[in-house]
Amino acid sequence: NAGVTQTPKFQVLKTGQSMTLQCAQDMNHNSMYWYRQDPGMGLRLIYYSASEGTTDKGEVPNGYNVSRLNKREFSLRLESAAPSQTSVYFCASSEFGWGGGEQYFGPGTRLTVT
Amino acid sequence: GQQLNQSPQSMFIQEGEDVSMNCTSSSIFNTWLWYKQDPGEGPVLLIALYKAGELTSNGRLTAQFGITRKDSFLNISASIPSDVGIYFCAGHLEYGNKLVFGAGTILRVKS
């Protein structure tokens, strides 16, 4: 059972380039999330999808877009990368949406923007 | 901004010692989750707590949901080198729809 998978594992971009981070889960979970992790900041929510067909902004959505492609897949797009977006990005999923429920994380994508 | 205060920020311990860390808040939580993150990996769920006063164990790990619903504690007994990593608390607020994370406790073991 793979759980939550993310691709790529590492990426280096130049300022202004675009890219899409991919995430898939095989646990039949309804809700999916994108977080970024920066030193000393903990995990901050970028966007989430409570259920297939819905997406909402989290704490730090600026500069990002998301697509809930189907129940399994949730992608994060950087349209014009900036050095401030250098971070580690984690995708997570949970069976239920808000108010409770355990979130399970993928292995992360380490992104550097030069 | 952060609504959870996690302490200590980091700690060195001697192998075999017991470890305690905690998360506190001025807000009330419905759920507490404890995660461990190894270097270069994603957070892994260790323990989930759903009721005030609940005490739950997972091997050498024990966590408690504070009776005020504003805090939670994680204890690790008889630490070993593989306990090294970052431990995060997280909670669902009573009123709100996000999982709030603490900043993490970095655990380093002196072998």
Side-chain angles (χ1 to χ4, degrees):
Chain A
N1 207 353
V4 179
T5 57
Q6 293 182 237
T7 56
K9 195 160 177 66
F10 300 94
Q11 184 71 49
V12 179
L13 291 177
K14 293 189 190 316
T15 297
Q17 288 184 320
S18 62
M19 79 161 294
T20 300
L21 282 63
Q22 306 287 353
C23 173
Q25 52 90 11
D26 63 2
M27 296 176 281
N28 200 35
H29 284 171
N30 292 300
S31 301
M32 298 184 73
Y33 315 85
W34 277 104
Y35 292 90
R36 60 178 289 172
Q37 184 177 41
D38 303 291
M41 301 290 289
L43 286 150
R44 293 183 292 170
L45 184 66
I46 304 171
Y47 269 94
Y48 67 96
S49 172
S51 61
E52 189 179 352
T54 68
T55 61
D56 278 293
K57 295 178 181 178
E59 185 183 352
V60 288
N62 291 344
Y64 305 96
N65 284 301
V66 290
S67 295
R68 182 75 182 266
L69 304 169
N70 48 55
K71 191 171 186 180
R72 288 188 65 247
E73 298 171 288
F74 189 37
S75 64
L76 178 72
R77 183 161 177 84
L78 286 70
E79 290 291 351
S80 178
S84 61
Q85 294 177 305
T86 293
S87 188
V88 183
Y89 292 85
F90 289 102
C91 178
S93 71
S94 66
E95 184 176 4
F96 306 110
W98 299 116
E102 301 156 14
Q103 290 187 18
Y104 295 88
F105 286 80
T109 293
R110 281 140 191 87
L111 175 67
T112 301
V113 183
T114 61
Chain B
Q2 292 276 8
Q3 299 183 56
L4 281 179
N5 298 308
Q6 187 170 350
S7 65
Q9 285 186 319
S10 67
M11 55 195 309
F12 279 95
I13 59 166
Q14 195 75 31
E15 184 176 350
E17 285 182 348
D18 296 345
V19 173
S20 291
M21 60 190 79
N22 68 82
C23 273
T24 61
S25 176
S26 58
S27 302
I28 292 174
F29 286 79
N30 283 335
T31 306
W32 286 99
L33 307 174
W34 283 93
Y35 290 88
K36 184 193 177 203
Q37 186 176 22
D38 291 326
E41 302 292 332
V44 173
L45 183 64
L46 299 172
I47 293 178
L49 302 161
Y50 292 101
K51 215 160 56 167
E54 181 180 353
L55 186 72
T56 297
S57 293
N58 178 5
R60 292 178 296 105
L61 278 61
T62 301
Q64 184 161 25
F65 194 140
I67 57 172
T68 66
R69 296 171 62 194
K70 295 182 179 180
D71 56 10
S72 179
F73 304 87
L74 176 70
N75 295 317
I76 305 173
S77 63
S79 56
I80 59 177
S82 62
D83 289 335
V84 163
I86 306 175
Y87 291 79
F88 290 100
C89 63
H92 283 102
L93 287 163
E94 181 180 36
Y95 300 109
N97 59 3
K98 291 187 301 183
L99 187 61
V100 180
F101 284 86
T105 293
I106 303 171
L107 188 63
R108 301 181 177 96
V109 177
K110 286 185 277 191
S111 56

